[in-house]
Structures are given as C-alpha cells and as structure tokens.
Amino acid sequence: MHAGMVIIGAGECGGRAALTLRDLGYEGPVTLIGDEPHLPYERPPLSKEAMTGAAPAIKSITSDAVLAERSIRHIHSVRAVAIDRAERLVRLSDGSSLPYDKLLLATGSLPGKLPMPGLGERCVYLRTFNDALAIRAHLNPKNRVAIIGGGFIGLELAASSRKLGATVTVIEAQPRILMRGVPAEIAAVIHKAHEAEGVTILAGQSIEAIADDGKEVRISLTGGQQIVADLAVIGIGAVPVTGLAAEAGLAVDNGIAVDA
C-alpha cells in the first residue's frame, strides 16, 4: 500500500497544495498535518475582517466535506516533531508516526520575536485566528494599544484598532513606516491617512525598555518618551520555520533551500 503524499503544515499553502494534487489527477493518499484545530484558512484577513467584522470568522479555503469528497486526510491539533528520512516517517507530537512516499514541507513562518526582557501577557503577536480573537478582545474605546512595527501587519492592526475605537500608537524604529514595503512617496500618503484617522505614528524611535506588569505596558523610547498601553502588539517581521528541515539534514538558507 502506498503511503502517498504527506504535507506538513495545514495553512493556506499546504491546504491548496493538497487540493491541487487532486486537481492534477494525483490518486495516491494525501495527508495534511496541522497544529491548529481549524481547517486551512487565509491569514491576511486576521488583521482586518477578523478584527472588525460583526462576528469574527475564519476564512477557510475548504471544508470538511470537500476534504472527505477528495479523499484528503486532515490530521489537526498535532505537530510534526521530527522527520526520519531513512525510514520515510514523520513523527508527531502525540507519539504516533506517519509513513510517506513524498513529503511536502509547508511550514510557513512565525512572527519575529522582540529580543527584550520585560515582555508579559499583554505583549502579544498575531499569527493565528486564536491570536486575532485575543487581540480583538482588547480593541474598544476604553483601551490604549501600542503597535511595535510600522509594516503592513502593524498598520492594518492600527486601522482595525481605530475602527473599533481604541487609542493607537505605532512605534517604528526605521526613519519611516513601510521602509521595506513601499517607496517613500507612497509611505508618506499612508502615514497621513493613518494620522487623519487618529493614529499616532512615532517613526525613527527605538525602544529602550518594556515593562509589562500584567495591568498595563510601559514602553520607554530612547528619546525619553514613554508610551503606556493596555496592550502591545509586536509586528516586526517574520522568520521562516525551518527547524524540522534543519534537523532532517536539509539545506537551510533563510528558509528551506530548493533546486530550480
């Protein structure tokens, strides 16, 4: 019996890969492994619709019925913890193992961590739907939100936070927002649009210290200014998830290296 294709990572990439295998006529077993309880879903809406919609909802790319109809097995709420290339096995966090003929790594990325002491429960990151729900619970007119990072995620969260009435301050270490994303002229237009909606943007400001006492977060900037917030959301970029690949002996170069 063929072990077929095993896909580690049941996000949008892994989910669409599984569906595309069937579209292209692959008839062997297809198994998706994901550490979240949800069906594969789109992540971009997490900082927008999931924050501001009347009822937060996941934008799934498929359904249980479609997966069953297309004979795609979805193993959720478990992590792949090791790859045994010699035995062609994936070892899972529940102690079980899964054989494979072909293995696809669709492990994606995780938010870059702010390398500072003092971060507590009120210093959070956005990656999953559950993260979005936790952040949304703080977005109301009574609360102050500090967003560390003036990239796309940070600015989308700033807009969503203002839409729900929160007081918002964006802190960006670079001289301007969207430094890596867009030219200066476009960034200036976006900067003005956010300020017109009531967002305070502090660019060219480095963080000297953070103190999270569980009730509020105090962010001290190098210029002497202090920002006090009920929640700090950190959006300073993403790092590829390469641990499994590296431990399995694959080439890793700021991501999993592939051939042409």
Side-chain angles (χ1 to χ4, degrees):
M1 182 178 174
H2 290 300
M5 173 73 81
V6 172
I7 301 171
I8 299 177
E12 184 168 12
C13 178
R16 292 199 185 280
L19 294 168
T20 302
L21 282 166
R22 292 296 187 229
D23 290 341
L24 296 175
Y26 180 74
E27 295 180 351
V30 175
T31 304
L32 265 174
I33 303 169
D35 58 1
E36 292 187 67
H38 315 294
L39 287 161
Y41 62 89
E42 296 182 14
R43 294 194 191 275
L46 295 183
S47 53
K48 301 185 281 286
E49 293 96 322
M51 289 291 165
T52 61
I58 285 180
K59 193 172 181 182
S60 300
I61 66 165
T62 187
S63 65
D64 287 319
V66 169
L67 292 179
E69 176 193 331
R70 310 202 75 181
S71 299
I72 296 170
R73 181 186 179 196
H74 178 209
I75 302 175
H76 60 79
S77 306
V78 297
R79 289 180 298 105
V81 295
I83 299 167
D84 186 333
R85 292 171 69 189
E87 296 292 328
R88 289 183 173 252
L89 288 175
V90 177
R91 305 197 187 280
L92 305 179
S93 57
D94 62 2
S96 65
S97 295
L98 199 62
Y100 66 85
D101 293 323
K102 293 279 187 179
L103 183 64
L104 174 62
L105 300 183
T107 45
S109 60
L110 289 174
K113 300 296 184 183
L114 189 65
M116 297 189 74
L119 276 63
E121 290 182 0
R122 288 181 177 262
C123 297
V124 300
Y125 300 85
L126 174 60
R127 166 64 178 168
T128 68
F129 180 68
N130 289 347
D131 293 338
L133 292 181
I135 293 170
R136 180 182 168 123
H138 292 270
L139 304 186
N140 60 64
K142 295 180 180 179
N143 278 350
R144 303 152 296 175
V145 178
I147 296 173
I148 300 171
F152 289 113
I153 295 290
L155 294 172
E156 287 168 2
L157 280 171
S160 294
S161 301
R162 284 297 300 136
K163 190 171 182 180
L164 294 175
T167 301
V168 181
T169 303
V170 174
I171 303 164
E172 171 54 60
Q174 298 289 337
R176 64 169 173 85
I177 61 170
L178 295 168
M179 196 78 179
R180 296 189 298 270
V182 302
E185 295 84 356
I186 297 175
V189 172
I190 295 171
H191 186 120
K192 286 181 182 177
H194 277 272
E195 287 192 329
E197 293 293 335
V199 177
T200 299
I201 297 178
L202 305 176
Q205 299 277 357
S206 296
I207 295 172
E208 194 168 72
I210 293 182
D212 177 357
D213 64 6
K215 296 179 181 177
E216 61 184 19
V217 184
R218 293 185 175 271
I219 304 170
S220 302
L221 305 180
T222 48
Q225 188 173 354
Q226 188 171 87
I227 308 299
V228 181
D230 300 286
L231 184 73
V233 186
I234 301 164
I236 56 172
V239 292
V241 177
T242 57
L244 270 179
E247 289 167 14
L250 300 178
V252 170
D253 181 14
N254 191 32
I256 300 167
V258 297
D259 60 20

